[in-house]
Amino acid sequence: MQPFFGMTEEALSGWARSRGATPGAARALARFVLAQAAGRPAPERPSGKLLAQLEASFALPAAEVIADADGTVRFAVRLDDGEVVETVLIHQAVSDLRSRERWTVCVSSQVGCARGCVFCETGRLGLERNLTAAEIVAQYALAARHLQLRPANVVFMGMGEPLDNLEEVLRAIAVLREPSGFAVPERRITVSTVGIVPRMDELFARTKAQVAVSLHAVDPAQRRALLPVARKWSLPELRGCIAKAPRTVLLQWTLIEGTNDADSDADALAGFCAGLDVRVNLIPLNPGPVPSQRAPSMDRCRAFQKRLRDSGIRALLRMPHGQQVGGACGQLAGTRRPLRNHVAAG
Ligand code: SF4
């Protein structure tokens, strides 16, 4: 895959100008190519050899596509060097709470991950390498091509810690939001981090994307046991960072039976949230690498949510998506999962 997939209109224009195109022709070429890549009605087709060069480089990678009965689709995407990352297209149907169906693409930002969270399959892989912006954008393009429409939401919650690959993630966001291309509004993009404190200020400053922080525990020892990253940056440091955020931060809390699902845990979480501009996402644990860890009953999950709400905390209970195809949170295994029938998606 060529890096053109990871280029903004300005960068594509600059590339064409450096090869002799006039500013007007370069802009027209960039807009045409971005519109075509996004599958939207393209403006008039420019002429010239540069277009042929660009078009040839916008082929999508091969992917195995597996659909869950709940509407979720998991893509195992094979990159040029043979590495495999996973992308998940999540469907949320119309419901009492939602008047329109909603599609979200969960993209990976790394092959594997160095952070080693205990309940995460990706964490078991270790880090192989960072993805380029082009490889990140291509995942969205694959999902859009599959769906025949541009999903409105993107979450960086697939394989990898986005803040360990911040430059390429920010570049991918810049491409995804291009009005002449995929045109995903930045506020509909969410970057999830396990709490890489020194890079969070920069993330807040350089993008208007939503930020989600994986919290999971507010007892320091318990958080260190679940998330090795907590040995490096303390909870007060993380909280201080969240307190400075310029907009609402989502706090992710994976509910694990007998670990962090008691009323006392809800009260401690409410205490952590007091005075912060945050919303809490409660995610019942999906089956993962530790067989002894499992999700609490739905009744317990709802009781936990109610206890938070009674304390004045905005808390949503997230239903699992894609569990049957290994596409739910914490289940993405990439190269560990053998690819079956490849589908050339490009
Ligand atoms: S949860 Fe995220 S940060 Fe933690 S190991 Fe998995 S991919 Fe890495």
Side-chain angles (χ1 to χ4, degrees), residues 112-117 119-123 158-161 194 227:
C113 181
R115 296 299 173 179
C117 306
F119 46 74
C120 174
E121 288 285 2
T122 309
M159 298 170 71
E161 162 55 56
V194 77
L227 310 175

Side-chain angles (χ1 to χ4, degrees), residues 2-14:
Q2 298 294 322
F4 294 116
F5 234 124
M7 286 166 76
T8 58
E9 182 181 315
E10 191 186 334
L12 284 165
S13 241

Side-chain angles (χ1 to χ4, degrees), residues 102 104-105 107 152-157 161-163 166 169-170 173 176-177 184-194 199-214 242 245-252 277-281 314 316 318:
R102 178 184 161 114
T104 300
V105 185
V107 295
N153 306 283
V154 177
V155 293
F156 284 79
M157 295 184 184
E161 162 55 56
L163 269 59
L166 186 56
V169 165
L170 291 173
I173 290 172
L176 289 168
R177 74 175 177 221
V184 181
E186 213 166 345
R187 67 193 154 75
R188 290 187 171 275
I189 298 175
T190 302
V191 178
S192 178
T193 176
V194 77
R199 296 194 194 122
M200 286 176 64
D201 285 346
E202 193 180 349
L203 178 68
F204 289 130
R206 292 179 63 190
T207 172
K208 292 188 175 60
Q210 309 286 333
V211 175
V213 174
S214 299
I242 294 168
R247 52 197 168 273
T248 304
V249 171
L250 305 175
L251 298 180
Q252 310 276 75
D277 180 8
V278 291
R279 271 194 295 129
V280 175
N281 272 346
R314 291 175 288 172
L316 280 178
R318 296 284 181 197

